[in-house]
Amino acid sequence: MQKTGAQILVESLLAEGVDTIFGYPGGVVLPIYDVLYDADIRHILTRHEQGAAHAADGYARASGKPGVCLATSGPGATNLVTGIANAYMDSVPMVAITGQVPTSLLGKDSFQEADITGITLPITKHNFIVKDVNDVARTVREAFYIATSGRPGPVLIDMPKDVSVGMAEYTDPGPVQLPGYKINNEPDPEQVARAVRAIEESERPVIYAGGGVVSGGAHGELLELAEMLLMPVATTLMGLGGFPGNHPLSVGMLGMHGSKYANYAINECDLLIGVGVRFDDRVTSKLEEFAPGAVIMHIDIDPAEIGKNVGVDIPLVGDVRLTLRKIIERLRPRLASQWRDKIGVWKKEHPFEFVENGRIKPQEVIQEIFNVTKGNARITTEVGQHQMWAAQYYTFTRPRTFMSSGGLGTMGFGFPAAIGVQVACPDETVIDIAGDGSIQMNIQELATAVHYNLPVKIAIMNNGFLGMVRQWQELFYNRRYSYTELDNPDFVKLAEAYGAVGIRVSKKSEVRPALEEAMASAKPVVLDFPIEREENVYPMVPPGEPIHKMLG
């Protein structure tokens, strides 16, 4: 029986286990939307294509399944670009489907034509333009395989309209055969042996764990390794939740706004074990003084990351979970550790702290969010000061409970991502910790949350500034606040206009009751917290300084 390309596309998505698509319709994708009308796939109509991409991203991070977004050609497709780039930087599995003008009109500056495969080539693992209806099913199978295998990432499928309406037989394409795409899951046995020797010989080891631990499902192995050797564990922003933040061996986040004790530990360790990390500049800061006395071991599924930023003494290319398991099987437990005791002293001497002055402090708000939710919420953030306060003051104990834009630093990410998280986890509390600048970039998605009865909570740290930029202006530009002060709307009235609940908190004593009221509501809730206007995020490593030299 022959079917249209649109029918084959939707059947192929069902075959891949897709249950949700986030999208926005338009002319050239009407054939696809017509099929979706009767399909056993939930479609979430966002109010902007960027919201669809970020929602698919949040869905993927929370569920571990690839997120799917759909947009029309031209501006619809280009509106996905920021979300695709965000997923690429943070290694999130996503399949973005875009409509395209008919193949006969390609390259002719046709109405709503954009070379989306050319535009997204640097920010996707791979992308396809399907020019033959007979290739649709195979392309979908390959796209999902590429997006989810090895180091995850986004893949784009561009569908010209004539392919969507063209006819072909639908047959299952079978197993993927990609001769040029090889995944090396098994680490080299000799390098594993070297790793074991280095660990057993070390006196001051530190594990530096990143997002690869979470996406690779290696949190159990990481915990086992740390406890076996009494090794402290520092995590990146993307790695939060990959190791229990309340564990005695946790030293929290490292890097520019990490804990002092994590950064001190990195500076004095003799073995640094990087697990699913990129050694990015926000962690390493001054490269030549990063972990200066350490043997550096790096475990990663992507060989391109090994040695890219920091010289590596022991490279281990392979699946993170499998590699850790092979190391654990050859190690003997360590019964005592003076190094752990030293770090314990640092933790007591240099805790995260702030000055109370009777006004609402963002750090206290984050702590109360943790207390009210008992640490069981799924947290997303926008990007800025509030993002760092969330990382510092909310203790993440489980993987896939913290979703934030790490590599790209995308303002406007958190709220649509929270919608995706809520769709993936309908019975859980989902909170977007936001800034008053970031939230306004995709605040139109309140309409989406209200329409689909998604009870996402938004906690706005409202200081009337683009806070992180203002902090840099204060510290490094003589307090010349050039275009960073905001004239904000009434967020409570805005929430109510969309049909959500709005709550303004005017004083410290109202913080907890307001949070409890929000958590009890079955509706989306916007909480407006007018915080100390010039509160800064500390500790902070100034640009160009090594990570053990911090302000605050």
Side-chain angles (χ1 to χ4, degrees), residues 32 39 76 158 201 205 228 244 251 281 308 341 352 372 398 400 402 446 458 503 511 528 539:
I32 300 171
D158 199 28
E201 293 170 0
M228 178 183 288
V251 293
D281 56 288
K308 184 175 80 175
D341 296 340
F352 285 117
V372 169
R398 297 179 294 138
R400 301 192 183 279
F402 179 69
L446 269 170
I458 307 170
I503 302 173
V511 171
D528 184 9

PDB file of all heavy atoms in Angstrom, residues 32 39 76 158 201 205 228 244 251 281 308 341 352 372 398 400 402 446 458 503 511 528 539:
ATOM      1  N   ILE A  32       2.172  17.349   6.736  1.00  0.00           N
ATOM      2  CA  ILE A  32       2.585  16.630   7.948  1.00  0.00           C
ATOM      3  C   ILE A  32       1.572  16.859   9.061  1.00  0.00           C
ATOM      4  O   ILE A  32       1.148  15.917   9.752  1.00  0.00           O
ATOM      5  CB  ILE A  32       4.001  17.068   8.381  1.00  0.00           C
ATOM      6  CG1 ILE A  32       5.022  16.766   7.279  1.00  0.00           C
ATOM      7  CG2 ILE A  32       4.399  16.385   9.688  1.00  0.00           C
ATOM      8  CD1 ILE A  32       6.397  17.364   7.527  1.00  0.00           C
ATOM      9  N   ALA A  39      -2.916  11.142  14.349  1.00  0.00           N
ATOM     10  CA  ALA A  39      -1.825  10.261  14.790  1.00  0.00           C
ATOM     11  C   ALA A  39      -1.824  10.080  16.304  1.00  0.00           C
ATOM     12  O   ALA A  39      -2.303  10.942  17.059  1.00  0.00           O
ATOM     13  CB  ALA A  39      -0.485  10.820  14.334  1.00  0.00           C
ATOM     14  N   GLY A  76      10.397  29.833  10.180  1.00  0.00           N
ATOM     15  CA  GLY A  76      10.095  28.783  11.151  1.00  0.00           C
ATOM     16  C   GLY A  76      11.320  27.947  11.447  1.00  0.00           C
ATOM     17  O   GLY A  76      11.645  27.661  12.602  1.00  0.00           O
ATOM     18  N   ASP A 158      15.268  17.892   6.881  1.00  0.00           N
ATOM     19  CA  ASP A 158      14.581  18.911   6.087  1.00  0.00           C
ATOM     20  C   ASP A 158      13.717  18.206   5.040  1.00  0.00           C
ATOM     21  O   ASP A 158      14.221  17.411   4.239  1.00  0.00           O
ATOM     22  CB  ASP A 158      15.617  19.823   5.424  1.00  0.00           C
ATOM     23  CG  ASP A 158      15.030  21.150   4.982  1.00  0.00           C
ATOM     24  OD1 ASP A 158      14.051  21.611   5.599  1.00  0.00           O
ATOM     25  OD2 ASP A 158      15.571  21.748   4.020  1.00  0.00           O
ATOM     26  N   GLU A 201      48.198   4.622  42.855  1.00  0.00           N
ATOM     27  CA  GLU A 201      49.412   5.327  43.275  1.00  0.00           C
ATOM     28  C   GLU A 201      49.147   6.746  43.765  1.00  0.00           C
ATOM     29  O   GLU A 201      49.999   7.371  44.391  1.00  0.00           O
ATOM     30  CB  GLU A 201      50.407   5.370  42.114  1.00  0.00           C
ATOM     31  CG  GLU A 201      50.964   3.999  41.737  1.00  0.00           C
ATOM     32  CD  GLU A 201      51.763   4.022  40.440  1.00  0.00           C
ATOM     33  OE1 GLU A 201      51.884   5.134  39.842  1.00  0.00           O
ATOM     34  OE2 GLU A 201      52.241   2.966  40.020  1.00  0.00           O
ATOM     35  N   PRO A 205      43.654  12.257  44.842  1.00  0.00           N
ATOM     36  CA  PRO A 205      42.856  12.207  43.612  1.00  0.00           C
ATOM     37  C   PRO A 205      41.569  13.028  43.720  1.00  0.00           C
ATOM     38  O   PRO A 205      41.014  13.197  44.816  1.00  0.00           O
ATOM     39  CB  PRO A 205      42.541  10.716  43.471  1.00  0.00           C
ATOM     40  CG  PRO A 205      42.463  10.239  44.896  1.00  0.00           C
ATOM     41  CD  PRO A 205      43.488  11.040  45.663  1.00  0.00           C
ATOM     42  N   MET A 228      34.550   3.693  46.896  1.00  0.00           N
ATOM     43  CA  MET A 228      35.573   2.659  47.000  1.00  0.00           C
ATOM     44  C   MET A 228      36.932   3.248  47.341  1.00  0.00           C
ATOM     45  O   MET A 228      37.694   2.701  48.131  1.00  0.00           O
ATOM     46  CB  MET A 228      35.665   1.890  45.683  1.00  0.00           C
ATOM     47  CG  MET A 228      36.747   0.809  45.664  1.00  0.00           C
ATOM     48  SD  MET A 228      36.867  -0.012  44.063  1.00  0.00           S
ATOM     49  CE  MET A 228      35.372  -0.988  44.093  1.00  0.00           C
ATOM     50  N   PRO A 244      25.457  12.639  44.131  1.00  0.00           N
ATOM     51  CA  PRO A 244      24.597  13.270  45.137  1.00  0.00           C
ATOM     52  C   PRO A 244      25.270  14.464  45.805  1.00  0.00           C
ATOM     53  O   PRO A 244      26.340  14.335  46.406  1.00  0.00           O
ATOM     54  CB  PRO A 244      24.345  12.145  46.154  1.00  0.00           C
ATOM     55  CG  PRO A 244      24.609  10.880  45.398  1.00  0.00           C
ATOM     56  CD  PRO A 244      25.686  11.209  44.412  1.00  0.00           C
ATOM     57  N   VAL A 251      32.117  17.773  46.593  1.00  0.00           N
ATOM     58  CA  VAL A 251      32.634  19.130  46.821  1.00  0.00           C
ATOM     59  C   VAL A 251      31.891  20.138  45.942  1.00  0.00           C
ATOM     60  O   VAL A 251      32.291  21.289  45.820  1.00  0.00           O
ATOM     61  CB  VAL A 251      34.163  19.216  46.588  1.00  0.00           C
ATOM     62  CG1 VAL A 251      34.899  18.412  47.634  1.00  0.00           C
ATOM     63  CG2 VAL A 251      34.547  18.746  45.196  1.00  0.00           C
ATOM     64  N   ASP A 281      36.362  26.486  29.280  1.00  0.00           N
ATOM     65  CA  ASP A 281      37.062  27.633  29.868  1.00  0.00           C
ATOM     66  C   ASP A 281      36.436  28.100  31.178  1.00  0.00           C
ATOM     67  O   ASP A 281      37.132  28.668  32.021  1.00  0.00           O
ATOM     68  CB  ASP A 281      37.093  28.791  28.865  1.00  0.00           C
ATOM     69  CG  ASP A 281      35.705  29.188  28.385  1.00  0.00           C
ATOM     70  OD1 ASP A 281      35.106  28.416  27.613  1.00  0.00           O
ATOM     71  OD2 ASP A 281      35.218  30.264  28.777  1.00  0.00           O
ATOM     72  N   LYS A 308      41.698  18.266  23.642  1.00  0.00           N
ATOM     73  CA  LYS A 308      41.293  19.456  22.879  1.00  0.00           C
ATOM     74  C   LYS A 308      41.661  20.743  23.607  1.00  0.00           C
ATOM     75  O   LYS A 308      42.146  21.695  22.987  1.00  0.00           O
ATOM     76  CB  LYS A 308      39.783  19.424  22.625  1.00  0.00           C
ATOM     77  CG  LYS A 308      39.277  20.562  21.755  1.00  0.00           C
ATOM     78  CD  LYS A 308      37.807  20.414  21.431  1.00  0.00           C
ATOM     79  CE  LYS A 308      36.947  20.876  22.582  1.00  0.00           C
ATOM     80  NZ  LYS A 308      35.508  20.864  22.242  1.00  0.00           N
ATOM     81  N   ASP A 341      40.119  14.219  54.543  1.00  0.00           N
ATOM     82  CA  ASP A 341      40.047  15.003  55.778  1.00  0.00           C
ATOM     83  C   ASP A 341      40.435  16.456  55.533  1.00  0.00           C
ATOM     84  O   ASP A 341      39.826  17.380  56.082  1.00  0.00           O
ATOM     85  CB  ASP A 341      40.953  14.391  56.843  1.00  0.00           C
ATOM     86  CG  ASP A 341      40.502  12.992  57.251  1.00  0.00           C
ATOM     87  OD1 ASP A 341      39.318  12.663  57.017  1.00  0.00           O
ATOM     88  OD2 ASP A 341      41.339  12.234  57.777  1.00  0.00           O
ATOM     89  N   PHE A 352      29.616  28.227  51.126  1.00  0.00           N
ATOM     90  CA  PHE A 352      28.891  29.276  50.420  1.00  0.00           C
ATOM     91  C   PHE A 352      28.219  30.151  51.479  1.00  0.00           C
ATOM     92  O   PHE A 352      27.607  29.644  52.423  1.00  0.00           O
ATOM     93  CB  PHE A 352      27.818  28.682  49.501  1.00  0.00           C
ATOM     94  CG  PHE A 352      28.361  28.065  48.251  1.00  0.00           C
ATOM     95  CD1 PHE A 352      28.203  26.707  48.006  1.00  0.00           C
ATOM     96  CD2 PHE A 352      29.032  28.829  47.311  1.00  0.00           C
ATOM     97  CE1 PHE A 352      28.693  26.130  46.846  1.00  0.00           C
ATOM     98  CE2 PHE A 352      29.530  28.267  46.150  1.00  0.00           C
ATOM     99  CZ  PHE A 352      29.367  26.913  45.914  1.00  0.00           C
ATOM    100  N   VAL A 372      11.045  23.549  50.632  1.00  0.00           N
ATOM    101  CA  VAL A 372       9.623  23.307  50.379  1.00  0.00           C
ATOM    102  C   VAL A 372       9.427  22.069  49.505  1.00  0.00           C
ATOM    103  O   VAL A 372       8.494  21.288  49.711  1.00  0.00           O
ATOM    104  CB  VAL A 372       8.978  24.549  49.732  1.00  0.00           C
ATOM    105  CG1 VAL A 372       7.578  24.239  49.210  1.00  0.00           C
ATOM    106  CG2 VAL A 372       8.914  25.697  50.745  1.00  0.00           C
ATOM    107  N   ARG A 398      19.878  13.677  42.456  1.00  0.00           N
ATOM    108  CA  ARG A 398      19.529  12.679  41.446  1.00  0.00           C
ATOM    109  C   ARG A 398      19.859  13.200  40.058  1.00  0.00           C
ATOM    110  O   ARG A 398      19.771  14.404  39.809  1.00  0.00           O
ATOM    111  CB  ARG A 398      18.027  12.363  41.497  1.00  0.00           C
ATOM    112  CG  ARG A 398      17.530  11.750  42.776  1.00  0.00           C
ATOM    113  CD  ARG A 398      16.014  11.523  42.683  1.00  0.00           C
ATOM    114  NE  ARG A 398      15.283  12.783  42.595  1.00  0.00           N
ATOM    115  CZ  ARG A 398      14.243  13.001  41.787  1.00  0.00           C
ATOM    116  NH1 ARG A 398      13.822  12.035  40.975  1.00  0.00           N
ATOM    117  NH2 ARG A 398      13.621  14.163  41.782  1.00  0.00           N
ATOM    118  N   ARG A 400      19.310  14.007  36.098  1.00  0.00           N
ATOM    119  CA  ARG A 400      18.191  14.511  35.280  1.00  0.00           C
ATOM    120  C   ARG A 400      17.187  15.323  36.081  1.00  0.00           C
ATOM    121  O   ARG A 400      15.997  15.373  35.777  1.00  0.00           O
ATOM    122  CB  ARG A 400      17.480  13.363  34.546  1.00  0.00           C
ATOM    123  CG  ARG A 400      18.403  12.572  33.622  1.00  0.00           C
ATOM    124  CD  ARG A 400      17.668  11.633  32.696  1.00  0.00           C
ATOM    125  NE  ARG A 400      18.592  10.849  31.889  1.00  0.00           N
ATOM    126  CZ  ARG A 400      19.194  11.277  30.781  1.00  0.00           C
ATOM    127  NH1 ARG A 400      18.974  12.511  30.349  1.00  0.00           N
ATOM    128  NH2 ARG A 400      20.028  10.497  30.108  1.00  0.00           N
ATOM    129  N   PHE A 402      18.319  18.580  37.090  1.00  0.00           N
ATOM    130  CA  PHE A 402      18.781  19.951  36.852  1.00  0.00           C
ATOM    131  C   PHE A 402      19.004  20.124  35.362  1.00  0.00           C
ATOM    132  O   PHE A 402      19.832  19.448  34.756  1.00  0.00           O
ATOM    133  CB  PHE A 402      20.073  20.230  37.616  1.00  0.00           C
ATOM    134  CG  PHE A 402      20.609  21.625  37.400  1.00  0.00           C
ATOM    135  CD1 PHE A 402      19.933  22.728  37.902  1.00  0.00           C
ATOM    136  CD2 PHE A 402      21.787  21.834  36.703  1.00  0.00           C
ATOM    137  CE1 PHE A 402      20.418  24.014  37.699  1.00  0.00           C
ATOM    138  CE2 PHE A 402      22.278  23.124  36.499  1.00  0.00           C
ATOM    139  CZ  PHE A 402      21.593  24.216  37.001  1.00  0.00           C
ATOM    140  N   LEU A 446       3.885  31.064  28.390  1.00  0.00           N
ATOM    141  CA  LEU A 446       2.852  30.942  29.419  1.00  0.00           C
ATOM    142  C   LEU A 446       1.534  30.480  28.801  1.00  0.00           C
ATOM    143  O   LEU A 446       0.772  29.710  29.410  1.00  0.00           O
ATOM    144  CB  LEU A 446       2.651  32.281  30.141  1.00  0.00           C
ATOM    145  CG  LEU A 446       3.489  32.527  31.396  1.00  0.00           C
ATOM    146  CD1 LEU A 446       3.353  33.972  31.844  1.00  0.00           C
ATOM    147  CD2 LEU A 446       3.095  31.571  32.509  1.00  0.00           C
ATOM    148  N   ILE A 458       7.314  29.250  38.015  1.00  0.00           N
ATOM    149  CA  ILE A 458       8.406  30.139  37.615  1.00  0.00           C
ATOM    150  C   ILE A 458       8.739  31.032  38.794  1.00  0.00           C
ATOM    151  O   ILE A 458       7.884  31.790  39.269  1.00  0.00           O
ATOM    152  CB  ILE A 458       8.026  31.015  36.410  1.00  0.00           C
ATOM    153  CG1 ILE A 458       7.501  30.171  35.257  1.00  0.00           C
ATOM    154  CG2 ILE A 458       9.208  31.851  35.953  1.00  0.00           C
ATOM    155  CD1 ILE A 458       6.890  31.000  34.140  1.00  0.00           C
ATOM    156  N   ILE A 503       1.984  35.644  41.822  1.00  0.00           N
ATOM    157  CA  ILE A 503       2.189  35.908  43.262  1.00  0.00           C
ATOM    158  C   ILE A 503       3.401  36.825  43.411  1.00  0.00           C
ATOM    159  O   ILE A 503       4.493  36.502  42.933  1.00  0.00           O
ATOM    160  CB  ILE A 503       2.434  34.608  44.052  1.00  0.00           C
ATOM    161  CG1 ILE A 503       1.261  33.635  43.894  1.00  0.00           C
ATOM    162  CG2 ILE A 503       2.683  34.923  45.529  1.00  0.00           C
ATOM    163  CD1 ILE A 503       1.514  32.264  44.520  1.00  0.00           C
ATOM    164  N   VAL A 511       8.226  34.569  51.832  1.00  0.00           N
ATOM    165  CA  VAL A 511       8.858  33.696  50.843  1.00  0.00           C
ATOM    166  C   VAL A 511       8.329  32.272  50.935  1.00  0.00           C
ATOM    167  O   VAL A 511       7.843  31.707  49.941  1.00  0.00           O
ATOM    168  CB  VAL A 511      10.397  33.715  50.984  1.00  0.00           C
ATOM    169  CG1 VAL A 511      11.034  32.638  50.092  1.00  0.00           C
ATOM    170  CG2 VAL A 511      10.952  35.083  50.606  1.00  0.00           C
ATOM    171  N   ASP A 528       7.033  36.378  41.753  1.00  0.00           N
ATOM    172  CA  ASP A 528       7.887  37.544  41.548  1.00  0.00           C
ATOM    173  C   ASP A 528       8.588  37.873  42.865  1.00  0.00           C
ATOM    174  O   ASP A 528       7.951  38.314  43.826  1.00  0.00           O
ATOM    175  CB  ASP A 528       7.031  38.724  41.070  1.00  0.00           C
ATOM    176  CG  ASP A 528       7.866  39.957  40.739  1.00  0.00           C
ATOM    177  OD1 ASP A 528       9.113  39.857  40.720  1.00  0.00           O
ATOM    178  OD2 ASP A 528       7.268  41.027  40.513  1.00  0.00           O
ATOM    179  N   PRO A 539      31.576  32.554  45.241  1.00  0.00           N
ATOM    180  CA  PRO A 539      32.868  32.989  44.736  1.00  0.00           C
ATOM    181  C   PRO A 539      32.831  33.284  43.231  1.00  0.00           C
ATOM    182  O   PRO A 539      31.942  32.835  42.517  1.00  0.00           O
ATOM    183  CB  PRO A 539      33.801  31.806  45.034  1.00  0.00           C
ATOM    184  CG  PRO A 539      33.079  30.967  46.024  1.00  0.00           C
ATOM    185  CD  PRO A 539      31.629  31.174  45.752  1.00  0.00           C
TER     186      PRO A 539
END
